[in-house]
Amino acid sequence: MAPYNLLVTRLQKALGVRQYHVASVLCQRAEVAMSHFEPSEYIRYDLLEKNVNVVRKRLNRPLTLSEKIVYGHLDDPAHQEIERGKTYLRLRPDRVAMQDATAQMAMLQFISSGLPKVAVPSTIHCDHLIEAQLGGEKDLRRAKDINQEVYTFLASAGAKYGVGFWRPGSGIIHQIILENYAYPGVLLIGTDSHTPNGGGLGGICIGVGGADAVDVMAGIPWELKCPKVIGVKLTGSLSGWTSPKDVILKVAGILTVKGGTGAIVEYHGPGVDSISCTGMATICNMGAEIGATTSVFPYNHRMKKYLSKTGRADIANLADEFKDHLVPDPGCHYDQLIEINLTELKPHINGPFTPDLAHPVAEVGSVAEKEGWPLDIRVGLIGSCTNSSYEDMGRSAAVAKQALAHGLKCKSQFTITPGSEQIRATIERDGYAQILRDVGGIVLANACGPCIGQWDRKDIKKGEKNTIVTSYNRNFTGRNDANPETHAFVTSPEIVTALAIAGTLKFNPDTDFLTGKDGKKFKLEAPDADELPREEFDPGQDTYQHPPKDSSGQRVDVSPTSQRLQLLEPFDKWDGKDLEDLQILIKVKGKCTTDHISAAGPWLKFRGHLDNISNNLLIGAVNIENGKANSVRNAVTQEFGPVPDTARYYKAHGIRWVVIGDENYGEGSSREHAALEPRHLGGRAIITKSFARIHETNLKKQGLLPLTFADPADYNKIHPVDKLTIQGLKDFAPGKPLKCIIKHPNGTQETILLNHTFNETQIEWFRAGSALNRMKELQQK
């Protein structure tokens, strides 16, 4: 039996339904299922078409692909005000996806809402809580044991509220979505910043915080500031050592970590057809590193091929009928246009410490020597949600096979992370996994692992300067192994493999030679591999739990003594007054990502317990007063201590506080804990030069004030020992700045203006204390 039929048979047994006939669905143009797991939830291209036609008539101009999909999901296309970069759109997403670290808080918030069932198809994916230590099977068993309480909670909550549950070992959320749920034209939101991975299948897939997911699951229109559209025109074709990863590494170097903020990056042009579907997903996935709302590719034959190979030919056939709505209109306008000739593009490697520091592989060795970065590569790591496709593994295996033929193995340690159970099973069947083991690799569990800091690394001590190369997406300080001296570089899986074999950053596989076991020199040839398996995918083990039709007897228990789960209490409402004499908890110096605000790694185990995880609040942020992390002055005692301890002291003594931040505050992960924690510990406002999109929204959702300096130079006027008063909240209105009175210790004062991006709905969230509080108010009315 073919793997697709095997998968469907398993589902039929679970659901107790008769065989699902694709042919019968095709007879009904508008009734193709969104996924095999939800046979009664249909793709609504007809509604997309209707909405797009309404908007096109109103705007009277050609539309980009991004606009077609986004505007095609408007709640009220006839009356919605539409202006790129300014107005807020009210949208109706098709589905929600949550990974296990963020799903805990999302489901706790949904439970607090009091609603009986989710209103749209939703799924939970267990991928973040599995620590890389010994290897796939052992690490998975250990994770199931350690995280049993959390997995039980998520499984029972899914069953109770109608959410599909992908068990630990299923794979990484974004790979599972690509294989099963993404399709051309879908609008999907996910509680992970790399949700844009689904753009590789022509969907608008956007990373959000858990409170946004709750809105959608509750059936409330979801608000998004109307995105600008950055066009990236691709010409030429990929060849040799150049890979899809190099496209986004190049774009990151051009746009930087904040250049895509408030915009969708839309790839188009003749070069698109030279990129596989999973390669397009890689490019979209790492678009999160430039701050983009999401990224997307137009529907083409590479997507159709992938849909067919993953058992969704019916979706591909339907997409063919509506293809005009799944590609940009000729003559459409982009707010910014970048052009990249793929034929001229060279392999890149970005880093260290930031994903936008781009270098051609041919030059990174000399740059490293000049900068004093360690040349010796301690570990090479391939896989992750960005690069764990069948094609990625095949190209890496092609490099490894050449080394083995000359008697070589990796000089560096080498790890492989399959993206899903389906990928793991298929690369085992087709021999890729064994080749990668033979060259010295260890195959880890189907999970995020070292990419998000879930890595029990033993080969170095904290503080030891070293270099690693990965095929991941993000390389902020300390992200992978909690060591601030680890210089992490991001590149393609095949370049990682070649560098791990050579063991040094000074190796350029396109020009340099290796010495075989026989003493003879040889040069690696550029890898070539199938983009999809020649046989059908092997689905591997069945890891999906479908929510029961009747969940009336289902219980979701949270122990009041649990150290990992905690039911939520409503945040306090705004008291109707200005915020006076706010103490500055910390004035942050330089980059402050969500990793700095709410660290991952060992803290992941507390993602369902707000009070416990608040003990990591801003422990990675550098205090401008003393240049140290996790060391701030207590304004009452004048003693320096950890940031969370100081925040708790202020909260216990009724002292409300504020954080002062720099540029692009909150870039990186979508984790809403970075907003929940300051709110829980008594914070009232975050004032910065600029915010990353997701974090700014998360702060608003939790009743905090994300404000920006009207004049960025005013950042320098505020000192950690000052107190601030924010005036104008009684007349809080969209587009109207607030006043901030800076009170210096010597008795002098000065006034500055603070801008905000609140609309009327978001102001209601602030007044109610949080978006969840506001939802409850509306239910009661």
Side-chain angles (χ1 to χ4, degrees), residues 493-516:
E494 51 266 48
I495 293 293
V496 171
T497 307
L499 292 178
I501 292 166
T504 175
L505 277 179
K506 289 208 73 176
F507 180 68
N508 176 11
D510 198 33
T511 58
D512 296 343
F513 287 80
L514 295 169
T515 302

Side-chain angles (χ1 to χ4, degrees), residues 472-491:
Y472 302 162
N473 44 44
R474 199 165 275 167
N475 58 348
F476 300 138
T477 302
R479 176 175 174 86
N480 301 125
D481 61 3
N483 179 15
E485 290 299 325
T486 293
H487 293 56
F489 293 84
V490 177
T491 186

Side-chain angles (χ1 to χ4, degrees), residues 509-529:
D510 198 33
T511 58
D512 296 343
F513 287 80
L514 295 169
T515 302
K517 193 174 183 181
D518 58 3
K520 296 180 180 179
K521 291 187 179 296
F522 72 98
K523 191 159 74 76
L524 293 170
E525 296 181 2
D528 186 33

Side-chain angles (χ1 to χ4, degrees), residues 400 402-410 438-439 501 514-517 522:
Q402 295 178 61
L404 290 168
H406 290 83
L408 297 185
K409 290 191 174 185
C410 292
D438 290 344
V439 84
I501 292 166
L514 295 169
T515 302
K517 193 174 183 181
F522 72 98

Side-chain angles (χ1 to χ4, degrees), residues 337-522:
L337 185 62
I338 298 168
E339 188 165 337
I340 297 175
N341 186 331
L342 300 180
T343 304
E344 298 174 354
L345 183 65
K346 300 297 183 183
H348 273 62
I349 182 168
N350 288 22
F353 306 125
T354 185
D356 60 347
L357 186 57
H359 321 274
V361 171
E363 300 173 11
V364 71
S366 59
V367 174
E369 280 187 317
K370 180 181 177 182
E371 297 293 336
W373 303 332
L375 292 172
D376 177 54
I377 298 171
R378 298 295 291 268
V379 191
L381 306 99
I382 66 170
S384 83
C385 67
T386 316
N387 277 112
S388 57
S389 69
Y390 185 82
E391 181 183 33
D392 289 329
M393 296 298 165
R395 285 173 67 89
S396 293
V399 175
K401 195 172 182 179
Q402 295 178 61
L404 290 168
H406 290 83
L408 297 185
K409 290 191 174 185
C410 292
K411 288 186 179 179
S412 310
Q413 292 183 44
F414 186 45
T415 69
I416 302 97
T417 304
S420 69
E421 171 60 10
Q422 178 169 274
I423 292 295
R424 183 209 62 78
T426 306
I427 65 172
E428 289 286 1
R429 181 197 68 193
D430 293 352
Y432 291 167
Q434 191 56 50
I435 292 170
L436 295 171
R437 288 192 191 96
D438 290 344
V439 84
I442 297 175
V443 178
L444 302 176
N446 314 324
C448 299
C451 182
I452 61 161
Q454 284 285 53
W455 185 15
D456 186 18
R457 190 178 181 190
K458 301 292 189 183
D459 64 300
I460 61 161
K461 295 180 180 178
K462 190 168 184 178
E464 183 180 343
K465 197 173 180 180
N466 74 104
T467 286
I468 65 174
V469 292
T470 82
S471 71
Y472 302 162
N473 44 44
R474 199 165 275 167
N475 58 348
F476 300 138
T477 302
R479 176 175 174 86
N480 301 125
D481 61 3
N483 179 15
E485 290 299 325
T486 293
H487 293 56
F489 293 84
V490 177
T491 186
S492 67
E494 51 266 48
I495 293 293
V496 171
T497 307
L499 292 178
I501 292 166
T504 175
L505 277 179
K506 289 208 73 176
F507 180 68
N508 176 11
D510 198 33
T511 58
D512 296 343
F513 287 80
L514 295 169
T515 302
K517 193 174 183 181
D518 58 3
K520 296 180 180 179
K521 291 187 179 296
F522 72 98

Side-chain angles (χ1 to χ4, degrees), residues 79 82 90 143 249 260 266 349 358 434 443 457 468 522 610 621 636 656 692 764:
H79 302 99
I82 299 171
R90 291 167 61 84
L249 294 175
E266 183 173 312
I349 182 168
Q434 191 56 50
V443 178
R457 190 178 181 190
I468 65 174
F522 72 98
L610 180 54
V636 178
R656 297 182 294 185
E764 289 176 0

